[in-house]
Amino acid sequence: MPDDDFDHTLKDVIRHSGIVLKVGVAAIVVVLILSIMYVFGWGFFSSATAPWRGAAEQRERIEGSGDYRIAAYDHFFDLCAQVQSDEASIRNLRRELKSEPKPTDQRVLQINASITALQNNRAENINQYNADAAKKHTEGRFRSSGLPYRLSLSTEETSCTSSSPSPART
């Protein structure tokens, strides 16, 4: 009989340990699923790694791209040249206003409207140039040292060279 009790208790222990093992495995699976959902599904992983992923992406896009550097470098020359073109057009239209024979009243209205439009376009290009030059982490980094840092709205004739001599490059 004692063997019978032993077999019975051994069977109970094995059965109970199997149940405990199944419950333990189920609990581990649930914890793993919840952890994965927390890390990946609810954005913890995204938000936790965003600062360094964003910095690396910005560095690659700005510093690693030769096309971006060249486009940003050319952008400042293009804006400055547009400002100079607007100024030349304004001078030519003002000259026409003073020319002999005097333009007709209709032509004077057209000239004045064109001057106003060119002045507005000039101001827009100057403001864009200054805003882009101030962007120290993107476009502004690639402005040529030969160009002025800022353009002035009050200057009638813009120079697309810096006022100070640039240092000799070796």
Side-chain angles (χ1 to χ4, degrees):
M1 288 270 182
D3 280 338
D4 223 8
D5 285 340
F6 179 73
D7 285 341
H8 185 63
T9 25
L10 184 61
K11 287 180 185 178
D12 286 341
V13 168
I14 292 172
R15 190 180 74 215
H16 289 308
S17 64
I19 292 172
V20 169
L21 183 64
K22 288 177 187 176
V23 169
V25 168
I28 290 172
V29 168
V30 167
V31 167
L32 283 175
I33 289 172
L34 289 175
S35 297
I36 289 171
M37 286 176 61
Y38 178 72
V39 170
F40 296 103
W42 291 325
F44 176 76
F45 183 75
S46 265
S47 62
T49 62
W52 63 266
R53 282 185 302 114
E57 182 180 326
Q58 178 188 12
R59 214 174 19 260
E60 180 62 31
R61 190 179 74 236
I62 293 170
E63 294 174 11
S65 170
D67 290 340
Y68 180 87
R69 289 172 156 224
I70 292 168
Y73 181 84
D74 289 343
H75 173 72
F76 289 102
F77 282 104
D78 294 345
L79 281 174
C80 197
Q82 289 173 4
V83 169
Q84 288 180 321
S85 294
D86 288 343
E87 291 168 351
S89 296
I90 291 167
R91 280 192 303 276
N92 292 337
L93 288 169
R94 286 183 176 153
R95 213 171 309 156
E96 185 180 341
L97 277 176
K98 296 175 185 176
S99 69
E100 291 295 331
K102 294 286 183 197
T104 64
D105 289 343
Q106 180 67 27
R107 180 64 186 145
V108 168
L109 288 173
Q110 290 174 339
I111 291 171
N112 286 331
S114 294
I115 288 173
T116 300
L118 286 164
Q119 288 171 329
N120 290 338
N121 194 56
R122 177 183 176 271
E124 181 181 329
N125 286 328
I126 287 173
N127 289 333
Q128 186 66 56
Y129 181 98
N130 292 341
D132 291 344
K135 295 175 184 173
K136 294 180 181 171
H137 297 291
T138 56
E139 284 178 316
R141 297 170 66 181
F142 305 110
R143 181 185 44 80
S144 169
S145 61
L147 289 173
Y149 177 69
R150 294 183 61 79
L151 299 180
S152 174
L153 289 169
S154 61
T155 303
E156 287 188 30
E157 200 167 319
T158 300
S159 172
C160 288
T161 57
S162 65
S163 57
S164 61
S166 59
R169 296 188 183 193
T170 56

